[in-house]
Amino acid sequence: MQPKFQRRVLIGVGGGIAAYKVCEVVSTLFKQGIEIRVILTNSAQQFVTPLTFATLSRHRAYTDDDFWLSYNPRPLHIELGEWADIFLIAPLTANTTAKLAQGMADNLLTNTVLASKCPILLAPAMNTDMWEQVAVQRNWQTLLTDQRYHSIDTTSGLLACDRVGKGRMAEPKEIVSYIQSLLHTFGKRDLVGKNILISAGGTREFLDPVRFIGNPSTGKMGLSLAVSALHRGANVTLVHGVSSLQVPPEIKAIPIVTAEEMRQVMLQELPNYDVIIMSAAVADMKPRDYNPEKLPKKALPENLALAPVPDIISELASHKQPHQKLIGFAAQTGDIVTPALDKLHRKNLDAIIANPVDKQDSGFGSDNNQAMYIDKNNQIEIPSCSKLEMAHHIFDIINHHLIHHN
């Protein structure tokens, strides 16, 4: 059965080996119910065929040969430019970068750029020496002065030329995530100039080197908050517990293990931020005594003595300045609102996000979530959605009720 399309993404594929990664981008977006059109430059066809993208997108892929056909009812570049909600160019080559920076239009891809008004996401990829050329960086920086252009910077690693260095195109998962953000915001950068501090994941409180008290938190919600803030233009720092999640290089990541480590980092970083979001699942108690060597099983206590862990968010609330906004999270079962309201007032928070962890496809480890945003004057339900989408809903609400309300 054909999916019900709700959004339209146009993808321009440049001539580079990284074009193979765009196949996964197209496949993933199609499975998410997004309608896809693909333009290939002549060079791109040396790496991936139009048939491949036509098969993955369930629609013919366009080349420069189509550009000059007379049977198009309207000019093809005009039709495609008006059709797109979001325009991705990946891999962006040095050649296309130069053309876009100068406003040139000598093929279907560059003509469609000039005929469109939607946000454009750029994912460059090239050899390290090419990427670091003064002329290439000048053209790249020129592009970034245009508010239409959003960018995913290159990463470092082993390149197809066997060079190890900067120039790798971002991975498909990161590109898809950015497209999802743009489909929500349509390119608005309403957090530019804001510094946002986010905690994520669970903490571990050790009994000995191999045993600890912990929780199932994976940090997915906190990372989604960090990524959504980044895509909206903020400067973001993520303080996170032990996790296998990949943090984009544009986000300052500070790993911690214990609640005390998180406490020290959060208090140290606090003065530099406008918005602080404590989405981490911090331990409430820890073993009273730590053993530096592994305890044999027979030596484990039948009754484990516990000690309280410092209340990080209350301490942050007591130190924050009037212009700073502090938002907490409350993972609950059953009634999620009543305990969240109590936490909001008792800990002097500006807002709290209450989310259920006892519902299917929600809470710890899930890719989706649902929640109730609560502040002193509002209760706003956020229905079940992906965690990235929920993060954007949270920032929509925070922007309206906290950041710009005053």
Side-chain angles (χ1 to χ4, degrees), residues 31-312:
K31 292 173 183 176
Q32 293 176 352
I34 295 171
E35 193 170 6
I36 309 295
R37 298 289 184 271
V38 179
I39 298 171
L40 292 91
T41 64
N42 287 333
S43 298
Q45 295 174 67
Q46 305 300 313
F47 296 93
V48 184
T49 67
L51 178 60
T52 299
F53 285 113
T55 303
L56 293 172
S57 67
R58 316 306 198 270
H59 193 279
R60 68 172 299 172
Y62 298 103
T63 68
D64 282 354
D65 290 341
D66 300 299
F67 191 23
W68 307 110
L69 293 177
S70 60
Y71 62 72
N72 291 321
R74 298 181 67 209
L76 183 58
H77 63 296
I78 305 296
E79 193 76 33
L80 291 172
E82 293 177 352
W83 174 88
D85 292 324
I86 303 296
F87 196 164
L88 165 69
I89 302 178
L92 176 70
T93 63
N95 189 45
T96 300
T97 302
K99 291 179 180 180
L100 297 182
Q102 300 303 316
M104 294 176 62
D106 65 348
N107 59 12
L108 177 56
L109 175 58
T110 52
N111 272 274
T112 305
V113 168
L114 296 186
S116 64
K117 293 184 178 179
C118 63
I120 299 177
L121 177 60
L122 304 174
M126 62 193 76
N127 164 270
T128 304
D129 293 328
M130 295 174 67
W131 175 246
E132 293 177 348
Q133 288 291 330
V134 172
V136 172
Q137 286 300 308
R138 181 173 61 244
N139 290 332
W140 176 242
Q141 294 304 320
T142 297
L143 284 180
L144 298 186
T145 62
D146 187 333
Q147 288 296 302
R148 283 190 69 199
Y149 291 114
H150 299 253
S151 67
I152 302 183
D153 201 0
T154 60
T155 61
S156 296
L158 178 64
L159 307 179
C161 59
D162 290 331
R163 173 78 179 272
V164 177
K166 196 167 173 62
R168 285 176 58 91
M169 191 175 83
E171 295 304 312
K173 186 175 182 180
E174 186 179 354
I175 294 173
V176 168
S177 175
Y178 210 133
I179 290 172
Q180 291 169 335
S181 287
L182 290 174
L183 288 171
H184 182 95
T185 65
F186 288 97
K188 72 181 175 187
R189 293 181 173 93
D190 52 4
L191 294 179
V192 168
K194 297 296 181 182
N195 297 316
I196 297 182
L197 177 63
I198 299 169
S199 70
T203 59
R204 296 180 176 184
E205 308 304 326
F206 283 84
L207 171 64
D208 64 20
V210 299
R211 300 181 180 94
F212 61 86
I213 297 174
N215 59 67
S217 177
T218 60
K220 287 183 179 180
M221 190 66 240
L223 179 61
S224 294
L225 286 162
V227 168
S228 62
L230 173 71
H231 292 167
R232 296 170 84 134
N235 300 312
V236 185
T237 294
L238 181 67
V239 181
H240 63 88
V242 177
S243 173
S244 61
L245 300 177
Q246 296 298 312
V247 181
E250 298 92 341
I251 294 172
K252 178 183 176 182
I254 304 176
I256 58 89
V257 176
T258 67
E260 179 57 30
E261 289 173 355
M262 179 171 283
R263 170 185 172 272
Q264 291 178 14
V265 172
M266 295 296 290
L267 287 172
Q268 180 179 341
E269 296 287 331
L270 175 65
N272 305 316
Y273 294 87
D274 305 294
V275 178
I276 303 93
I277 304 178
M278 278 291 296
S279 69
V282 182
D284 297 305
M285 305 294 290
K286 65 179 181 180
R288 186 188 64 190
D289 303 310
Y290 174 73
N291 297 274
E293 295 184 358
K294 180 185 175 182
L295 291 169
K297 188 173 182 179
K298 62 183 180 181
L300 292 175
E302 291 186 7
N303 298 301
L304 182 62
L306 299 176
V309 170
D311 188 339
I312 299 175

Side-chain angles (χ1 to χ4, degrees), residues 8-25:
R8 301 185 293 269
V9 175
L10 178 62
I11 299 178
V13 185
I17 187 61
Y20 81 91
K21 292 183 178 181
V22 185
C23 297
E24 184 178 341
V25 173

Side-chain angles (χ1 to χ4, degrees), residues 361-387:
D361 203 22
S362 178
F364 295 134
S366 172
D367 291 328
N368 298 322
N369 212 348
Q370 55 187 295
M372 182 74 74
Y373 166 91
I374 304 170
D375 63 26
K376 294 177 176 63
N377 301 307
N378 302 280
Q379 293 187 21
I380 302 171
E381 183 179 2
I382 303 174
S384 180
C385 57
S386 73
K387 286 186 173 177

